[in-house]
């Protein structure tokens, strides 16, 4: 989402740009700094750990009836390594192109991103992140066993449960217990490039309780002071997850609503006539 907002911001002005800057944690008029940050991250992410596959890709597809400024196209290439294309949005082949790009960049994990394309749409911006890695300390498949898992609604279901007994650092407080699983070839916090954190609500607590009790300050305190090294029996259900959501209200509530308002959205650094809000304004 940072990349999509960065690409939008590169073409934004006025209140729209100010809101994006604030949402991303920058002062106004720091567009160059945002661009440089995105450029460095996309170039360095794949180098953090050679045993981990980490790819980021960006794409800018513009309706052939609109002409983005050369300066904007150059920024898309320089800072976002974006694939830039001008297409006929009434041609079904354009939808195939967009979905094909998504399928390629996610190695088939997301084969389709759009069901249809409104011919009135001005442009489509896309960002894809592909991550694949094994844990530094792996679960032995031979130890996987069927056990009871209690879901959020209290249902008890039998699921394949990965199992490992190991000396590990355990974090926790009255809300949850937490474990950190490192990916790739680096197995300590100081060295790890990527990690997954699993939080288990304490007895009597819900997932919502944990979410409401999480702040950056409290999490940092837990990492520093609420930890102990223990021999733990670690059980995690094998799982897959997917989600599909419209982020307009989320982004607006985080402080950047004007981009979704036709009379306020200002992307006049991107191309002529975009201030009218004809883009459809969906993220």
């Amino acid at each position: 989402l940072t990349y999509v907002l960065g690409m939008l911001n590169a073409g934004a002005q006025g209140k729209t740009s100010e809101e994006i800057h604030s949402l991303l944690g920058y002062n106004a008029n720091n567009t160059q700094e945002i661009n440089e940050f995105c450029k460095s991250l996309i170039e360095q992410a794949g180098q953090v750990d050679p045993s981990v596959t980490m790819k980021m890709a960006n794409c800018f597809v513009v309706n052939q009836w609109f002409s983005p400024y050369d300066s904007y196209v150059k920024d898309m290439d320089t800072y976002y390594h974006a694939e830039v294309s001008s297409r006929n949005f009434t041609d079904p082949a354009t939808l195939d192109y967009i979905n094909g790009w998504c399928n390629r960049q996610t190695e088939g994990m997301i084969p389709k991103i759009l069901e249809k394309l409104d011919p009135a749409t001005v442009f489509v911006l896309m960002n894809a992140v592909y991550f694949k890695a094994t844990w530094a300390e792996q679960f032995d498949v031979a130890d996987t066993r069927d056990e009871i898992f209690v879901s959020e609604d209290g249902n008890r279901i039998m699921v394949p449960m990965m199992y490992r007994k190991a000396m590990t650092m355990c974090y926790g407080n009255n809300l949850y217990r937490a474990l950190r699983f490192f990916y790739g070839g680096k197995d300590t916090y100081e060295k790890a490039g990527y990690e997954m954190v699993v939080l288990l609500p304490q007895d009597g607590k819900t997932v919502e309780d944990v979410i409401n009790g999480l702040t950056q300050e409290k999490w940092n305190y837990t990492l520093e002071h609420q930890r102990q090294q223990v021999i733990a029996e670690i059980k995690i259900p094998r799982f897959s997850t997917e989600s599909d959501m419209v982020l307009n209200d989320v982004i607006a509530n985080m402080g950047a609503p004007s981009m979704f308002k036709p009379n306020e959205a200002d992307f006049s650094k991107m191309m002529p006539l975009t201030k009218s809000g004809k883009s459809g304004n969906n993220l």
Side-chain angles (χ1 to χ4, degrees):
L1 183 56
T2 294
Y3 275 89
V4 173
L5 290 172
M7 289 190 286
L8 286 171
N9 184 66
Q13 292 199 104
K15 183 179 180 180
T16 301
S17 179
E18 291 174 3
E19 289 177 352
I20 295 175
H21 275 83
S22 178
L23 190 154
L24 293 178
Y26 290 83
N27 295 323
N29 302 317
N30 272 0
T31 296
Q32 183 66 22
E33 189 173 344
I34 294 174
N35 289 343
E36 293 285 358
F37 168 77
C38 288
K39 175 181 171 66
S40 64
L41 190 58
I42 200 171
E43 291 177 348
Q44 296 174 25
Q47 303 174 24
V48 173
D49 188 336
S51 64
V52 170
T53 300
M54 175 66 176
K55 300 189 301 182
M56 288 187 283
N58 299 298
C59 187
F60 175 69
V61 187
V62 62
N63 192 320
Q64 65 180 6
W65 299 112
F66 296 85
S67 298
Y69 295 121
D70 290 342
S71 58
Y72 183 76
V73 172
K74 183 179 180 182
D75 284 347
M76 292 299 96
D77 177 58
T78 302
Y79 300 108
Y80 297 90
H81 296 196
E83 184 175 317
V84 178
S85 179
S86 177
R87 300 271 171 169
N88 180 357
F89 278 30
T90 64
D91 187 346
T94 299
L95 183 61
D96 292 339
Y97 168 80
I98 291 172
N99 286 326
W101 182 91
C102 181
N103 183 53
R104 291 193 310 275
Q105 300 302 334
T106 63
E107 301 288 342
M109 297 299 292
I110 306 177
K112 180 184 291 187
I113 193 68
L114 292 178
E115 293 292 338
K116 60 182 179 179
L117 183 62
D118 187 344
T121 297
V122 177
F123 64 88
V124 175
L125 282 177
M126 294 186 289
N127 167 263
V129 179
Y130 178 79
F131 176 86
K132 185 176 183 179
T134 55
W135 282 315
E137 296 185 24
Q138 299 184 37
F139 289 84
D140 189 334
V141 67
D143 291 332
T144 297
R145 62 193 72 173
D146 288 341
E147 292 197 21
I148 294 293
F149 179 83
V150 182
S151 61
E152 172 70 359
D153 59 9
N155 285 334
R156 298 169 64 85
I157 54 177
M158 189 72 72
V159 300
M161 196 83 76
M162 298 181 291
Y163 175 86
R164 178 162 59 86
K165 186 174 183 179
M167 177 72 73
T168 187
M169 188 70 73
C170 183
Y171 305 83
N173 49 43
N174 63 334
L175 278 178
Y176 58 82
R177 288 171 287 164
L179 292 178
R180 303 162 76 186
F181 298 90
F182 304 108
Y183 287 106
K186 303 175 181 179
D187 57 1
T188 65
Y189 176 68
E190 292 78 12
K191 298 178 181 178
Y194 301 101
E195 62 179 287
M196 181 174 76
V197 181
V198 177
L199 290 84
L200 178 68
Q202 296 281 21
D203 291 342
K205 301 296 182 180
T206 66
V207 172
E208 186 175 0
D209 292 333
V210 174
I211 292 173
N212 291 335
L214 278 177
T215 65
Q216 185 69 59
E217 183 180 7
K218 290 180 180 178
W219 176 245
N220 287 341
Y221 182 84
T222 295
L223 290 182
E224 185 67 26
H225 302 288
Q226 297 176 319
R227 62 181 185 178
Q228 59 179 333
Q229 195 163 28
V230 298
I231 297 177
E233 290 190 273
I234 304 167
K235 300 178 182 181
I236 300 179
R238 289 198 321 220
F239 68 94
S240 61
T241 180
E242 61 181 57
S243 61
D244 187 351
M245 64 191 73
V246 177
L247 295 174
N248 297 31
D249 291 342
V250 175
I251 294 171
N253 290 335
M254 289 177 69
S258 68
M259 71 175 78
F260 304 109
K261 300 177 181 179
N263 295 325
E264 295 184 23
D266 185 350
F267 295 108
S268 51
K269 284 177 61 180
M270 184 183 296
M271 67 184 80
L273 303 179
T274 56
K275 192 172 181 179
S276 63
K278 295 179 181 179
S279 64
N281 297 349
N282 274 320
L283 287 180

